[in-house]
């Protein structure tokens, strides 16, 4: 059964709107889209069908060198030719994840039908054509060529090849993509860049693990799933109801398997959750943007239910009181000690179990 990302309304708010036909008068939408799409995609020919109900939008979020785009298309064809590529200053691939509808990718005498549950990758610096005969919506992931090539033993990803997004590594890639779209825009640039690197790792593993290509062993699957779980945790640190049970459920795994994933690290899942909440609290306390929030407010916003318990955990982790970093520009991690959990730093007072 094809897997479609969920939480559409959330990521519509989280991603930056690049262009949307909705505010325009219906009679102007088709031409405005044609004008905009050529600018957004850096010189292409766009032939959109006449449609009084024409609709289209482009929303994006950037994760370091990786750009994630959420796009709605009405029936049309988009063609990039050599004269367009000559003015293109990027060297990249595009990975497509269809959400609704279907879209045909044509390149180098090959074609691929993108549809829900089935994804593919093509090269942006060679002529191609995108054709859709009905309204469709996709995630497009812009991947820097050199960085993405380095993740494959062959030195290059398989282009216009089928990879299954409904199970295994492909499903993990879709889930990771949905989390980035929903929550990533709220993260700091450093965290977004790191998540972009992890996303490239996950996509490369998903492509490499397809039948007939490099085998993905159980360790690779677990490493990929762990990255996805960590991204989910980072995106939901402020949720007071975030628990190990909720993390497992929303990532489609059992609580037992969640604990198994964290055996790859030197800490348990609950210790990792607590550490990330403390690190995020440190970042908020040291940021001038949150100077108006009290220490208690920040502690509670990160899921801690006791200010005194939070203060004890903070001192045990950083060797500093929360007030010592209040309003400063101390670099997160500068004074951090290795994380050593103890009984006082257990689940008492915060929702970790």
């Amino acid at each position: 059964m094809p897997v479609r990302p969920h939480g559409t309304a959330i990521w519509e708010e989280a991603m930056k709107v690049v262009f949307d036909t909705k505010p325009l008068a219906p009679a102007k939408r088709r031409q405005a889209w044609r004008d905009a799409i050529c600018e957004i995609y850096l010189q292409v020919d766009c032939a959109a069908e006449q449609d009084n109900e024409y609709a289209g939008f482009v929303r994006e979020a950037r994760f370091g060198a990786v750009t994630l785009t959420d796009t709605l298309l009405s029936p049309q064809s988009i063609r990039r030719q050599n004269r367009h590529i000559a003015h293109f200053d990027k060297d990249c691939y595009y990975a497509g994840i269809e959400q609704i509808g279907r879209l045909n990718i044509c390149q180098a005498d090959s074609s691929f039908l993108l549809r829900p549950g089935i994804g593919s990758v093509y090269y942006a610096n060679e002529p191609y054509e995108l054709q859709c005969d009905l309204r469709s919506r996709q995630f497009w992931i812009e991947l820097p060529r050199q960085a993405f090539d380095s993740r494959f033993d062959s030195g290059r990803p398989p282009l216009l090849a089928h990879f299954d997004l409904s199970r295994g590594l492909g499903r993990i890639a879709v889930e990771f993509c949905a989390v980035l779209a929903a929550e990533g825009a709220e993260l700091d640039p450093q965290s977004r860049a790191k998540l972009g690197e992890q996303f490239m790792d996950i996509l490369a593993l998903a492509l490499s693990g397809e039948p007939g290509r490099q085998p993905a062993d159980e360790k690779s699957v677990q490493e990929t799933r762990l990255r996805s779980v960590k991204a989910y945790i980072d995106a939901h640190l402020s949720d007071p109801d975030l628990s190990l049970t909720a993390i497992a459920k929303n990532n489609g795994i059992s609580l037992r398997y969640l604990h198994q994933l964290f055996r790859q690290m030197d800490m348990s899942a609950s210790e990792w959750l607590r550490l990330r909440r403390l690190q995020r609290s440190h970042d908020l306390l040291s940021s001038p943007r949150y100077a108006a929030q009290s220490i208690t407010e920040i502690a509670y916003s990160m899921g801690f239910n006791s200010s005194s318990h939070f203060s004890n955990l903070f001192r045990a982790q950083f060797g500093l009181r929360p007030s010592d970093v209040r309003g400063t520009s101390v670099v997160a991690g500068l004074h951090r000690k290795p994380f050593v959990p103890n009984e006082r730093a257990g689940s008492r007072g915060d929702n970790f179990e």
Side-chain angles (χ1 to χ4, degrees), residues 53-70:
E53 298 298 324
Y54 191 90
F57 61 68
V58 176
R59 303 183 177 107
E60 73 171 25
R62 297 187 179 183
F63 300 88
V66 175
T67 300
L68 173 60
T69 304
D70 179 22

Side-chain angles (χ1 to χ4, degrees), residues 218 222-223 225-233 242-265 267-273 352-353:
E218 179 61 24
Q222 289 191 2
E223 289 175 349
R225 175 63 84 176
L226 181 60
R227 290 190 187 100
S228 180
V229 168
K230 285 181 175 180
Y232 178 86
I233 290 173
L242 185 64
S243 65
L244 300 191
T245 300
I247 292 168
K249 180 180 179 181
N250 285 289
N251 281 273
I253 59 177
S254 67
L255 186 59
R256 179 178 179 181
Y257 188 62
L258 177 66
H259 287 299
Q260 182 179 332
L261 291 177
F262 276 86
R263 288 175 190 158
Q264 303 172 62
M265 303 183 61
M267 62 183 70
S268 67
S270 59
E271 290 165 357
W272 174 259
L273 172 57
F352 296 131
E353 300 305 329

Side-chain angles (χ1 to χ4, degrees), residues 16 25 79 103 111 135 184 187 227 289 322 326 332 345:
K16 176 185 176 182
R79 180 178 297 176
L103 179 142
S111 65
R135 189 171 297 183
L187 303 177
R227 290 190 187 100
R289 291 179 57 192
R326 170 81 275 185

Side-chain angles (χ1 to χ4, degrees), residues 177-190:
C177 183
V179 170
L180 292 183
E183 307 285 352
E186 300 300 319
L187 303 177
D188 61 88
Q190 184 177 1

Side-chain angles (χ1 to χ4, degrees), residues 105-145:
I105 307 171
C106 303
Q107 186 173 59
D109 298 322
S110 297
S111 65
F112 185 92
L113 184 62
L114 201 69
R115 56 199 187 277
I118 306 296
S120 196
V121 174
Y122 68 92
Y123 186 36
N125 291 62
E126 293 179 357
Y128 65 82
E129 185 173 0
L130 308 180
Q131 305 166 335
C132 61
D133 56 5
L134 49 79
R135 189 171 297 183
S136 61
R137 183 174 180 177
Q138 307 85 26
F139 279 130
W140 294 107
I141 304 101
E142 184 181 289
L143 305 159
R145 185 190 62 78

Side-chain angles (χ1 to χ4, degrees), residues 82-312:
N82 285 321
R83 61 186 175 85
H84 301 129
I85 295 169
H87 301 284
F88 190 52
D89 61 356
K90 296 181 181 179
D91 191 10
C92 63
Y93 299 108
Y94 285 115
I97 297 176
E98 188 71 44
Q99 302 178 55
I100 302 170
R102 61 178 182 264
L103 179 142
N104 199 45
I105 307 171
C106 303
Q107 186 173 59
D109 298 322
S110 297
S111 65
F112 185 92
L113 184 62
L114 201 69
R115 56 199 187 277
I118 306 296
S120 196
V121 174
Y122 68 92
Y123 186 36
N125 291 62
E126 293 179 357
Y128 65 82
E129 185 173 0
L130 308 180
Q131 305 166 335
C132 61
D133 56 5
L134 49 79
R135 189 171 297 183
S136 61
R137 183 174 180 177
Q138 307 85 26
F139 279 130
W140 294 107
I141 304 101
E142 184 181 289
L143 305 159
R145 185 190 62 78
Q146 187 173 1
F148 201 52
D149 281 349
S150 68
R151 289 165 162 82
F152 295 87
D153 291 344
S154 64
R156 190 175 186 181
L159 300 180
L160 290 185
H162 169 292
F163 72 104
D164 189 349
L165 303 175
S166 66
R167 59 188 176 86
L169 291 166
R171 179 170 179 171
I172 294 171
V174 172
E175 292 171 352
F176 198 95
C177 183
V179 170
L180 292 183
E183 307 285 352
E186 300 300 319
L187 303 177
D188 61 88
Q190 184 177 1
S191 295
R192 291 202 304 270
K194 185 175 180 180
L195 288 170
E197 292 292 323
Q198 293 176 347
F199 195 19
M200 283 196 282
D201 289 340
I202 291 172
L203 286 170
L205 282 169
L207 285 163
S208 300
E210 283 298 300
R213 294 193 282 276
Q214 307 168 49
D217 57 23
E218 179 61 24
K219 183 178 180 181
S220 295
V221 173
Q222 289 191 2
E223 289 175 349
T224 304
R225 175 63 84 176
L226 181 60
R227 290 190 187 100
S228 180
V229 168
K230 285 181 175 180
Y232 178 86
I233 290 173
D234 275 356
H236 294 83
L237 288 175
S238 61
D239 182 355
D241 297 321
L242 185 64
S243 65
L244 300 191
T245 300
I247 292 168
K249 180 180 179 181
N250 285 289
N251 281 273
I253 59 177
S254 67
L255 186 59
R256 179 178 179 181
Y257 188 62
L258 177 66
H259 287 299
Q260 182 179 332
L261 291 177
F262 276 86
R263 288 175 190 158
Q264 303 172 62
M265 303 183 61
D266 294 329
M267 62 183 70
S268 67
S270 59
E271 290 165 357
W272 174 259
L273 172 57
R274 187 184 313 115
L275 175 60
R276 292 300 296 136
R277 279 177 158 165
L278 286 170
Q279 289 173 333
R280 184 67 60 78
S281 298
H282 185 289
D283 293 342
L284 296 178
L285 287 168
S286 62
S287 172
R289 291 179 57 192
Y290 297 91
Q293 286 188 275
S294 69
I295 293 174
T296 299
E297 286 174 332
I298 288 176
Y300 275 70
S301 74
M302 283 296 108
F304 296 98
N305 297 325
S306 164
S307 57
S308 60
H309 185 55
F310 166 72
S311 181
N312 290 335

